[in-house]
Amino acid sequence: MKGAELLIKTAVAQGVTLCFANPGTTEMPLVEALDSVAGMHAVLGLFEGVCTGAADGYGRMTDKPAMTLLHLGPGLAGGIANLHNAKRAHTPILNVIGDHATWHRPNDPPLAMDIMSLAGTVSSWCRVSSSASSLEQDTISALSAARQGAVATLIVPQDHQWDLAEAQADVVGGSSRTTIDDRALGQAARLLKATGQSALLLGGRALSAEGLRAAARIRAVTGCDLLSENFPARIERGAGLPDVQRIPYLPEMALPVLARYANFVIVGAREPIAFFGYQGMSGRLLSETQQSLKLCDEPGLLSATLTALADILKAPANIPEEILAPAQRPPLPSGALTGASICAVLAALQPEHAIVVEEAITSGLMYYPITAGVPPFSLLTLTGGSLGQGMPCAIGAALACPKRPVIDFQADGSSLYTPQSLWTQARERLNITTIICSNRSYDILKLELARAGTVDPGPNARKLTDLTGIDWVKAAEALGVKACAVSSCEELARGLKTALAEEGPHLIEAIL
């Protein structure tokens, strides 16, 4: 068996069944192995960022790693922005990168690069294979690391792919923590009942339905408020779940929200910090007088830890109804489109159990607050802040959950980072509805210019925020996706209903 076949066979045996690929010459043995070894579905991305973003979406929805296959250092570079998002989201990914044959690397061929150094910026585990025979253990070790909520990068020289591999006698995976810290649970229980208002700050899988119900039990007995990190990787939301407040993006809005609390118990999240540093303002959002305790950040233990905390507090098993969001959709608006009205149309019409990938930036600000009572759904957000995540993330989510409708709620600027995603959506016939908020502007940059004191930008600054001249309908149709343009709430509602009723991908350009 060739090394490439051993790698794919091992990955499949370990439960990896999906490979998002943009391969090149140095990955041809692995491409051949995708056919010679049964069990792996290969999906082509026309840009590496589509592959890595799709793997991120898949992992967020399944808690299982998909495999990416990238071409040398430049291929990794093309996918690194969405690997950054995946790292921040603690998404499990097996990231496989081909390299030049070991005997060719000393010649410094044109595509040679220090892949290990580049991969280290986004990988929690990184290794270069030592031989074809090492690939079984390498793959198992990588997947063991990935399942801890990490990007695991395995770099495979081409000769290790085509060389024959010898069977390994003892192949083992890594161990993971499987116990909950009882001492920390006691400290958390005391802090939540201490003097002053307390908050339970949640992130990661603590925002799953199971985690949220446990958090609601804790709130029922302690009176604590429930907060979420600003950009959660995935949060379950809707009627019958507690309405968790997201920490605002802008520090001057986040500070007064956080200042209400004397005590914080943090589960699956980081201590709140500002997204950027601004002159005259601290990057930390908690003061020295506020107490905080990080209870758990192991991805696989977050929900169980919250349940254990609720039990220690003797919280009721039945959650009081007043803590859970009642069923309530916003009314359908009418008239010309604005960012707020697009949010309202989506919230009013999105189906139960939808997966909504939100990268609408400024146009989507009102979406989260009005969705507390809509039918239950999953929300995926831009956890790492690197634009171009939404469209490919929707691919991974749709492949992970083929029976659930996926809605990609996009800003036009962020969509332009990975528009190749539309081609993959069409080729795979995925049920994804993309809504483009087409304000033809980088409004987030205008906001940051104003915050920096530039109220009247000059000609160069105006050019750098102007996105006029893009026809999303033509672009989508050229890539095989049905598309329409709308300019009123009524047209958007009709277009969204049609897209959700039909099979395959659709794009709606919502012109503001």
Side-chain angles (χ1 to χ4, degrees), residues 72 99-115:
L72 293 163
D99 196 4
H100 290 291
T102 54
W103 46 263
H104 189 42
R105 282 189 305 211
N107 297 323
D108 191 24
L111 281 170
M113 185 184 287
D114 185 352
I115 303 174

Side-chain angles (χ1 to χ4, degrees), residues 425 430 432-434 481-483 498-499 502-508:
Q425 292 178 17
L430 301 176
I432 299 172
T433 300
T434 301
V481 174
K482 290 184 179 180
T498 298
E502 295 180 352
E503 293 292 320
H506 293 72
L507 181 141
I508 303 170

Side-chain angles (χ1 to χ4, degrees), residues 472-496:
W472 275 105
V473 173
K474 289 182 179 178
E477 290 175 343
L479 293 169
V481 174
K482 290 184 179 180
C484 66
V486 300
S487 57
S488 71
C489 294
E490 293 84 354
E491 290 174 344
L492 176 57
R494 286 194 296 271
L496 182 55

